[in-house]
Amino acid sequence: MLIDNHNRQINYLRLAVTDRCNLRCHYCMPAEGINFAKNKNLLTIKELKLLAETVVDQGIDKIRITGGEPFVRKDLMELLRHLASLSGIKELSMTTNATLIGPYIQELKDLGITNINLSLDAINRETFEKITRRDQYDVVFGNLMKMIEEGFNLRINFIVLENQNVQDLIPILKLQEHYPVSVRYLEEMPFNGGTKEFEAITWNYKKILDYVRSHYPELKKLESPKTSTSINYKIPGHAGSFGIIPSFSRTFCGSCNRLRITATGDVITCLYGKPKMNVRELLRGENPESELRTSIEKVIGMRAKTGFDAQREHQGVFENSMTSIGG
Ligand code: SAM
Ligand code: SF4
């Protein structure tokens, strides 16, 4: 079992398989993209398998595959098939922009990978295209509907962006009114590849909740697991639910159970901190498994208590992009 220096059990790995993406969401990276990692610096599927097996043996029982866009990686399914076969993993999930998932929906279902977080920051086509800088609205909605029909457990991540998608904040709830999905509003975080700086956000979780409540005063708070980052609500009569993630306000650090490993092998123990080590050379060296075990234990023993503490590791501006960190 992995226990950090603040007595929090770490059982959840967010594993990025690429930093590349076919969209260019404003809040994530600049129009020209970022300085993407060279292929030789990306962990290979063999390395990702060994890494996952080792941390699962250490007590990780929940893995979320993320990126960049995971499906831009051509050999992704080989990794997913392997992870789905590991008995130590209780939950295998993914975060995706749903542009490229179409051909894999049936196989994902067969593998039992049905917990999918789908990023969708607009219900209006024009807003979607403005935010993502790409013309993929129909593809994303088509795949969303297909996954609903196939009974996937879908969470729709909607980042609330001042002057960009606030007009869609209530309309996006139609999805959970009619279908058993969860719409989750996220506060914007400062990981946009240096596109813009911000110290505060206009749309924090309280303002989001007040706004939704002004339209649906009958909404009810739901019980959520202790390690959940979202505060969840139900609107009576609606098929699904909605949640709010205080990702910038960081009210959930006390129960954080997460470890992040990027596509190049950086180990991140707090989203707001700097990488604590890189496992790529370990995985390519002698005795990778035992080296890895010791190093992971070591960094987990040095975690910042909160995201605010971790943030002090950066001098002022965050220049990194969520496409490298994995969200
Ligand atoms: N490409 C996939 C996608 O968009 O779902 C997976 C990777 S993306 C980096 C993971 C999550 O991070 C997405 O839900 C995305 O909306 C979120 N994200 C990216 N940049 C963000 C930011 N600046 N603030 C808050 N969330 C962000
Ligand atoms: Fe790509 Fe996801 Fe970043 Fe959008 S949020 S640019 S889909 S990695």
Side-chain angles (χ1 to χ4, degrees):
M1 196 183 280
L2 293 165
I3 308 278
D4 78 4
N5 44 322
H6 304 286
N7 210 23
R8 296 171 293 202
Q9 187 188 344
I10 309 301
N11 68 327
Y12 178 14
L13 171 67
R14 297 173 70 98
L15 182 60
V17 293
T18 179
D19 62 348
R20 289 171 192 258
C21 188
N22 56 336
L23 301 187
R24 288 287 179 275
C25 305
H26 270 271
Y27 53 75
C28 182
M29 60 171 123
E32 66 278 13
I34 58 160
N35 192 8
F36 294 109
K38 294 198 171 66
N39 277 345
K40 69 173 176 46
N41 290 335
L42 294 180
L43 300 185
T44 64
I45 294 297
K46 193 171 161 211
E47 288 160 356
L48 287 165
K49 285 180 185 172
L50 178 62
L51 173 60
E53 281 165 18
T54 308
V55 295
V56 166
D57 198 50
Q58 286 181 289
I60 295 286
D61 59 15
K62 191 173 164 191
I63 297 186
R64 173 172 298 279
I65 299 299
T66 176
E69 173 47 39
F71 287 96
V72 301
R73 191 149 173 171
K74 299 279 180 287
D75 46 10
L76 175 69
M77 291 310 292
E78 186 191 336
L79 175 69
L80 295 183
R81 286 180 206 119
H82 182 74
L83 296 182
S85 75
L86 295 181
S87 58
I89 302 183
K90 291 194 194 130
E91 192 184 315
L92 180 57
S93 57
M94 301 192 68
T95 301
T96 174
N97 63 30
T99 53
L100 305 168
I101 199 170
Y104 307 104
I105 291 175
Q106 191 54 51
E107 186 174 2
L108 290 171
K109 188 176 172 186
D110 295 344
L111 290 172
I113 308 173
T114 53
N115 289 333
I116 304 281
N117 285 6
L118 190 156
S119 304
L120 183 64
D121 310 295
I123 199 142
N124 169 279
R125 175 191 301 271
E126 218 179 299
T127 310
F128 176 92
E129 290 179 5
K130 268 196 194 141
I131 292 176
T132 63
R133 300 185 177 108
R134 294 290 184 271
D135 166 20
Q136 289 289 315
Y137 181 88
D138 290 335
V139 177
V140 171
F141 266 85
N143 287 334
L144 167 61
M145 288 304 150
K146 186 150 183 229
M147 284 189 279
I148 289 174
E149 274 163 32
E150 293 293 337
F152 278 61
N153 176 23
L154 292 175
R155 300 196 294 199
I156 292 158
N157 283 355
F158 179 104
I159 300 170
V160 184
L161 304 157
E162 174 77 342
N163 299 326
Q164 290 184 63
N165 64 358
V166 174
Q167 68 286 359
D168 283 15
L169 207 146
I170 297 300
I172 197 100
L173 282 175
K174 289 275 169 219
L175 288 173
Q176 62 81 51
E177 179 175 352
H178 299 294
Y179 305 110
V181 300
S182 169
V183 170
R184 301 181 334 154
Y185 301 107
L186 279 88
E187 294 175 347
E188 185 181 7
M189 292 180 262
F191 308 118
N192 47 46
T195 327
K196 64 169 180 180
E197 257 182 75
F198 56 83
E199 306 240 313
I201 46 169
T202 318
W203 284 86
N204 66 15
Y205 69 103
K206 289 192 187 116
K207 182 163 171 170
I208 299 168
L209 180 59
D210 286 348
Y211 188 72
V212 178
R213 192 180 267 133
S214 70
H215 289 77
Y216 295 104
E218 69 278 28
L219 62 84
K220 299 221 162 14
K221 192 167 175 190
L222 296 172
E223 282 291 316
S224 302
K226 191 173 141 269
T227 52
S228 171
T229 51
S230 59
I231 312 161
N232 300 301
Y233 302 88
K234 176 97 187 156
I235 299 171
H238 289 196
S241 60
F242 78 93
I244 306 178
I245 306 188
S247 34
F248 186 76
S249 305
R250 287 161 266 180
T251 54
F252 43 62
C253 301
S255 55
C256 179
N257 61 345
R258 293 151 187 235
L259 178 68
R260 292 177 166 82
I261 303 187
T262 71
T264 56
D266 277 350
V267 180
I268 298 177
T269 55
C270 173
L271 188 53
Y272 281 83
K274 288 199 164 169
K276 290 292 164 295
M277 62 173 291
N278 186 285
V279 292
R280 190 173 63 247
E281 292 314 318
L282 293 186
L283 283 163
R284 293 176 185 179
E286 298 283 313
N287 300 323
E289 218 180 310
S290 70
E291 291 283 335
L292 200 59
R293 290 181 80 92
T294 317
S295 307
I296 296 281
E297 271 165 27
K298 191 169 156 205
V299 292
I300 282 185
M302 298 165 27
R303 287 182 85 217
K305 192 169 183 184
T306 68
F308 294 99
D309 290 346
Q311 184 171 348
R312 293 195 195 103
E313 295 163 14
H314 293 270
Q315 252 77 50
V317 201
F318 294 95
E319 293 200 329
N320 41 354
S321 157
M322 204 64 113
T323 197
S324 316
I325 310 170

